[in-house]
Amino acid sequence: MNTLNRPTPDLIAKLSAIVGADYALTEHEQQLPYLREWRDKYFGKTPVVLRPGSVDEVAEILKLANEARVGVVPQGGNTGLVGGQIPFEAGEEIVVSTERLNRIRQIDAAGGYMVVEAGLTLAEVQAAALEAGALFPLSLAAEGSCRIGGNLASNAGGVQVLAYGNARDLTLGLEVVLADGRIWDGLRALKKDNTGYDLKQLFVGSEGTLGIITAAVLKLFPKTVETATAFAALPDLRSVQRLFEGARAVAGTSLTAFEFMSGWCLDIVTTHMPGTRRPLEGEAPWYVLVEISKGTSDGAAEAIMEQLLTGALESGDVLDAVVAASLDQAAQLWKLREDMPEAQKFEGGSIKHDISVPVAAIPDFVERADPVIQTVCPGVRPVVFGHFGDGNLHYNITQPVGMDKAAYLELWDRMNEAVHTLVAQMDGSISAEHGIGRMKREALKRFRPAVEIDMMRAVKAALDPRGILNPGKVI
Ligand code: FAD
Ligand code: ZN
């Protein structure tokens, strides 16, 4: 059992001297943005938030913290949804923010890679790639705030996973500061490299528990030139599934997104979010957003989309559909999907699940989950949306109308347990995107085999023997 120490005033002074007084935040007011997470679910304390400006400074910080046995919480853009980036309430851990590690070290569009530092926001990385004439396809609603190091540490997914894979698939190399302060330069840009264990993959998705990622080599792709975006209304989830299979068949790897949402999701997003409106007349039980992208400008993307929708309208799988006629219209359709996390807040308390099941099992899951959640709390309203093509549902459950919010949120663990049990029965995952952090630690132990937890503990002990990195998170 590792015991950690509370940082002494002397240690805090030494750590602050590494980054310089301007970049060591000790005042509560200055610290606030680093201590509260997006959903207001966790609110932590720390004696100091350090904002190092170089890899060497990160290394010096970890060396000292390791010697002193003091806990360190790495933080990127603070958009994580499982509390991983927030220190505990006891105020015994220091926070290390990567936001000043924000240089683009190299872009080689022809070579298909870029080398970036961890603190760039995802939007900055995307923009730099575009400017160089290439595409960095990772894309999610938090992209203006989340930072690429955080994306890698949480193996972010998002809306383009279908075609390009998640953060893990987009990583060629990493630079990481280890718990003891040693710097691992694994910034290799090789597509093929079978020299022993693939160490970079240990750090991707490790949520700050194995090392601090300071830079990465990311894969770049040819820019898409033409995109067809459609929004369609469907009568049931089997139809959604057939449309997905049809889309894959006609579009192949050009199918870059296949997102879905329930009729009620469209209601709440168009009711509460300014600048949104219903794109189709009437109401339907399900809606999907389909995107087909091509590297050529010969109308191929639109032709494929038309072929897909015409067939589906004839068969009755699609009731009605609209294809965006401009980039502006496409952005409006995307906004309906991207505003979903925000829109739910207006309907009261929400108990969230970020789960995946095999794609073919989605209709079954949604059918079977409803009586399960109604048993835990009669009258709850499921907000079902997500990345259909990845089998990933944001199965969020909104409180019954008129119920006290706090009383509802007290059911969080019971509701999670009920939903996760069903997910496990259906061979799914209790965390498809957001990770384990602090929120799902117990669930990880409960829903993963003991031998898997043992292997994770062995890796943790090998790379962080004193347990200073993000203590109390993940395992
Ligand atoms: P943080 O929140 O700062 O940290 C997340 C975790 O990574 C923490 O455990 C932290 O300790 C660790 N960490 C951060 N930086 C480093 C580093 N440099 N080295 C080591 N560890 C580090 N996630 C998805 O996967 N798909 C989505 O579609 C998606 N949509 C979202 C939409 C909204 C509106 C919001 C608020 C969040 C969404 N998320 C999504 C979750 C979140 O944005 C992503 O997980 C994101 O990748 C986190 O990046 P961050 O920089 O904010 O990390
Ligand atoms: Zn998502």
Side-chain angles (χ1 to χ4, degrees):
M1 187 64 198
N2 288 305
T3 45
L4 293 173
N5 298 322
R6 179 179 275 274
T8 60
D10 177 52
L11 180 75
I12 293 166
K14 283 184 180 147
L15 290 168
S16 302
I18 294 171
V19 295
D22 285 351
Y23 301 115
L25 314 179
T26 50
E27 301 292 326
H28 186 64
E29 282 298 302
Q30 298 172 312
Q31 291 183 349
L32 274 179
Y34 303 87
L35 298 180
R36 164 177 283 154
E37 57 112 55
W38 193 77
R39 286 175 183 166
D40 279 340
K41 197 163 161 53
Y42 299 103
F43 190 73
K45 271 199 192 146
T46 183
V48 67
V49 176
L50 299 169
R51 301 174 61 216
S54 69
V55 182
D56 289 335
E57 287 182 9
V58 176
E60 280 181 63
I61 292 168
L62 287 191
K63 185 168 184 291
L64 269 191
N66 193 51
E67 280 164 11
R69 293 181 185 268
V70 162
V72 175
V73 180
Q75 190 176 106
N78 190 13
T79 68
L81 297 173
V82 288
Q85 72 282 12
I86 303 291
F88 281 89
E89 293 76 6
E92 296 181 348
E93 301 134 0
I94 59 168
V95 174
V96 174
S97 163
T98 58
E99 60 201 348
R100 287 180 62 231
L101 304 174
N102 57 4
R103 287 184 315 132
I104 290 167
R105 295 194 191 164
Q106 193 193 346
I107 300 192
D108 183 343
Y113 70 91
M114 69 196 295
V115 187
V116 301
E117 293 190 349
L120 284 160
T121 65
L122 175 54
E124 288 166 341
V125 173
Q126 293 166 344
L130 270 187
E131 203 174 304
L135 172 76
F136 181 63
L138 190 67
S139 173
L140 43 113
E143 63 200 20
S145 314
C146 60
R147 296 176 189 274
I148 192 69
N151 296 143
L152 297 177
S154 58
N155 186 27
V159 291
Q160 303 263 15
V161 173
L162 200 55
Y164 300 100
N166 46 27
R168 186 183 296 293
D169 301 307
L170 300 172
T171 309
L172 289 172
L174 287 183
E175 177 187 80
V176 180
V177 178
L178 303 182
D180 61 9
R182 280 181 298 163
I183 300 171
W184 172 49
D185 179 354
L187 290 174
R188 290 185 284 262
L190 305 171
K191 289 230 166 69
K192 303 187 82 171
D193 176 15
N194 282 344
T195 46
Y197 302 140
D198 193 351
L199 295 172
K200 66 177 181 290
Q201 295 297 2
L202 275 181
F203 295 97
V204 178
S206 66
E207 301 183 52
T209 61
L210 299 180
I212 297 190
I213 298 168
T214 47
V217 187
L218 304 173
K219 276 187 204 168
L220 294 177
F221 293 81
K223 263 203 296 202
T224 53
V225 176
E226 191 184 83
T227 299
T229 310
F231 197 84
L234 295 92
D236 52 51
L237 281 173
R238 312 262 166 217
S239 298
V240 176
Q241 195 169 356
R242 281 192 294 269
L243 185 67
F244 173 61
E245 281 161 16
R248 274 217 306 198
V250 294
T253 53
S254 308
L255 180 66
T256 42
F258 194 99
E259 300 286 305
F260 82 128
M261 60 168 77
S262 68
W264 193 52
C265 287
L266 186 64
D267 282 347
I268 59 177
V269 80
T270 50
T271 304
H272 300 298
M273 302 307 290
T276 58
R277 57 174 195 85
R278 300 183 78 89
L280 298 168
E281 303 270 310
E283 291 185 14
W286 296 96
Y287 292 94
V288 301
L289 196 153
V290 187
E291 188 189 80
I292 293 171
S293 308
K294 283 282 189 188
T296 50
S297 57
D298 52 5
E302 214 158 297
I304 297 170
M305 185 68 88
E306 218 169 286
Q307 185 193 345
L308 173 69
L309 292 175
T310 308
L313 279 160
E314 270 166 22
S315 71
D317 279 336
V318 165
L319 303 170
D320 195 6
V322 58
V323 180
S326 64
L327 285 178
D328 218 43
Q329 276 184 18
Q332 278 176 23
L333 297 178
W334 268 110
K335 188 168 161 58
L336 297 169
R337 168 63 184 84
E338 280 165 356
D339 281 359
M340 272 314 303
E342 189 69 32
Q344 300 161 70
K345 291 183 174 177
F346 294 89
E347 292 288 330
S350 180
I351 298 178
K352 312 222 171 185
H353 305 89
D354 157 40
I355 57 128
S356 63
V357 291
V359 178
I362 294 177
D364 265 356
F365 172 80
V366 173
E367 223 163 83
R368 287 170 66 182
D370 201 55
V372 168
I373 60 174
Q374 298 299 338
T375 307
V376 178
C377 181
V380 287
R381 299 164 293 162
V383 174
V384 188
F385 68 101
H387 318 287
F388 191 94
D390 308 322
N392 176 195
L393 287 72
H394 294 305
Y395 191 76
N396 299 338
I397 305 168
T398 296
Q399 67 173 77
V401 177
M403 186 173 178
D404 175 61
K405 181 174 171 182
Y408 176 64
L409 292 179
E410 268 170 35
L411 298 173
W412 192 289
D413 290 342
R414 273 182 57 207
M415 191 67 90
N416 279 179
E417 173 71 17
V419 171
H420 291 161
T421 300
L422 177 62
V423 168
Q425 282 166 7
M426 298 184 73
D427 297 323
S429 164
I430 61 160
S431 179
E433 277 195 327
H434 302 157
I436 299 301
R438 171 172 175 183
M439 186 188 281
K440 294 188 181 156
R441 229 181 110 184
E442 289 310 311
L444 178 73
K445 272 191 272 182
R446 166 137 161 55
F447 290 103
R448 282 284 173 248
V451 61
E452 216 168 297
I453 302 294
D454 280 353
M455 286 193 282
M456 290 191 203
R457 289 210 171 109
V459 171
K460 172 75 176 168
L463 287 174
D464 180 18
R466 294 187 168 190
I468 64 157
L469 282 167
N470 224 354
K473 313 287 172 53
V474 186
I475 51 164

